[in-house]
Amino acid sequence: MRHRPLGRTGLFVSEMCLGTMTFGGGAGLWAQIGAVQQAEADALVSQALDAGINFIDTADIYSAGLAEQITGQALRNLKVPRDSVVLATKVFGDMGTGANARGASRQHILDGVRASLKRLHTDHIDLYQIHGFDPATPIEETLRALDQLVRQGDVRYVGVSNWAAWQVAKALGISERLGLAHIDSLQAYYTLAGRDLEREIVPMLASEGVGLLVWSPLAGGLLSGKFGRDQPGDEDSRRSGFDFPPVNRERAYDCIDAMRVMATARGVSVAQIALAWLLHQPQVSSVIIGAKRPDQLVDNLAATGITLGAEELRQLDEVSRLPSEYPGWMLERQGEQRRQQLRDARFARA
């Protein structure tokens, strides 16, 4: 297991992160995603730590706080030294019936962090993330609240999830102008079958030194190898009961067909090829993997040992490439003209 810096920080996180969205269960959505209870969670956390994972991600909204509670208790049950694990959680979602029980306001953030610290049985959160963009709250208010948490020691690094490129860029500008704690990471959906963030988000992250944490790296199980043009998937699979995230099915099936050939040749699973592709993307700090069973976690972890060759990466890029859109095609055209001008000038000087 390799460890990578989180964006431009000095904090190193394992290239794979244990996600806890399957912990807890409950009614509706959470019953479909997973219902891992304490003893099972203890085993999964232990297994992940033994494999070299030092990064665990959760959220207050997962199973209405139960996932945080189970995660914190698992670390206590296993007697994990606090400084040996990077613990991340998120705030934003609906945690009550009151008018201020959601969003990214100062009030909800300050209430949320106290509740999360209690459920996690810890005195600090290593990475505290805003779980969505709040159009009702000024970005400056959100950033000032996060900065307060960093200054008082409740939180050490801050991030966001599911924000657009312009929203992150605006927040970075405000934090620099006001001297506030800045955003160190973006947690976003990214898969071989869903490369939309490469249009604007990935270039922005690279330019500003913000780390990328990938959620749903198998597109909700669609890239697990259980699905295909002629494969409906298992009835108990998450994607069968919860068709999310949305994808272009035909492009996804092209990706699965290409990955299946590579997986068969290597004697590995399709899921491992899909995860390995993400681990080859330079902007990715960590890939978040969740599991209901130990065998699922074992299979996903094995992706860290796969090195894809240049031709394999080219093939996967070809079948998964996004359609060209404006202004991307114009920027590429203009950029190539300038790059050629620069090459010509260097040649002339030589």
Side-chain angles (χ1 to χ4, degrees):
M1 183 72 64
R2 293 171 291 267
H3 293 77
R4 304 176 178 184
L6 181 69
R8 61 183 174 183
T9 76
L11 182 70
F12 279 76
V13 295
S14 49
E15 61 185 333
M16 282 195 167
C17 169
L18 180 64
T20 67
M21 200 174 183
T22 59
F23 291 7
L29 167 67
W30 306 114
Q32 294 177 329
I33 291 175
V36 173
Q37 299 305 302
Q38 192 65 60
E40 302 164 298
D42 290 0
L44 289 171
V45 171
S46 177
Q47 183 181 353
L49 296 175
D50 288 345
I53 284 180
N54 77 333
F55 192 19
I56 299 176
D57 178 75
T58 188
D60 59 4
I61 198 173
Y62 294 167
S63 297
L66 187 54
E68 281 187 329
Q69 184 177 327
I70 290 174
T71 300
Q73 190 61 47
L75 295 173
R76 293 184 77 182
N77 291 346
L78 297 169
K79 295 181 172 55
V80 178
R82 183 62 185 87
D83 61 358
S84 69
V85 65
V86 176
L87 191 55
T89 192
K90 300 181 282 290
V91 62
F92 177 79
D94 199 329
M95 294 298 290
T97 58
N100 294 304
R102 62 195 59 82
S105 67
R106 174 185 294 275
Q107 176 154 330
H108 187 56
I109 290 172
L110 297 185
D111 288 346
V113 77
R114 284 196 296 269
S116 288
L117 288 168
K118 182 177 180 180
R119 285 190 292 264
L120 289 166
H121 303 291
T122 186
D123 63 354
H124 73 276
I125 294 163
D126 296 298
L127 176 63
Y128 200 47
Q129 303 155 98
I130 304 300
H131 208 171
F133 184 76
D134 184 0
T137 302
I139 293 177
E140 181 176 330
E141 178 180 339
T142 299
L143 293 174
R144 286 188 181 278
L146 292 173
D147 182 73
Q148 177 181 334
L149 297 182
V150 172
R151 292 179 185 275
Q152 65 193 31
D154 292 328
V155 168
R156 297 191 172 175
Y157 299 88
V158 298
V160 295
S161 180
N162 304 317
W163 281 32
W166 73 264
Q167 293 163 346
V168 178
K170 182 174 181 178
L172 290 171
I174 292 172
S175 60
E176 183 174 354
R177 174 169 57 85
L178 299 177
L180 304 175
H182 54 74
I183 293 170
D184 295 310
S185 65
L186 170 70
Q187 189 172 141
Y189 167 64
Y190 187 26
T191 69
L192 193 62
R195 297 172 59 183
D196 306 74
L197 81 172
E198 292 180 1
R199 297 194 189 280
E200 303 234 0
I201 293 176
V202 166
M204 179 276 299
L205 298 177
S207 170
E208 303 306 315
V210 177
L212 175 59
L213 308 178
V214 178
W215 62 259
S216 198
L218 297 179
L222 186 63
L223 304 184
S224 64
K226 299 176 182 178
F227 293 84
R229 283 188 174 85
D230 301 317
Q231 290 179 262
D234 299 337
E235 291 185 3
D236 64 344
S237 67
R238 178 171 139 195
R239 190 86 199 194
S240 296
F242 182 48
D243 195 17
F244 184 84
V247 298
N248 181 311
R249 285 277 179 157
E250 287 305 307
R251 191 185 306 143
Y253 291 148
D254 288 342
C255 295
I256 292 169
D257 290 343
M259 290 191 294
R260 202 179 300 280
V261 173
M262 298 175 189
T264 300
R266 292 169 176 267
V268 301
S269 68
V270 172
Q272 288 175 32
I273 299 295
L275 293 170
W277 180 85
L278 281 169
L279 294 174
H280 281 71
Q281 306 312 304
Q283 198 54 42
V284 172
S285 293
S286 189
V287 175
I288 302 170
I289 55 173
K292 298 178 186 178
R293 305 187 312 270
D295 61 294
Q296 293 175 328
L297 188 55
V298 167
D299 187 80
N300 288 349
L301 288 169
T304 60
I306 296 176
T307 300
L308 298 173
E311 178 57 22
E312 290 174 311
L313 290 170
R314 187 200 66 77
Q315 292 176 17
L316 294 176
D317 178 69
E318 182 68 26
V319 296
S320 64
R321 185 176 300 146
L322 294 170
S324 183
E325 288 186 354
Y326 180 83
W329 53 259
M330 180 58 78
L331 294 172
E332 181 61 29
R333 178 184 176 86
Q334 293 171 329
E336 179 54 37
Q337 291 173 341
R338 292 293 282 169
R339 284 190 290 271
Q340 185 59 53
Q341 184 179 3
L342 182 60
R343 287 193 293 267
D344 292 344
R346 287 172 176 168
F347 179 77
R349 286 198 296 269

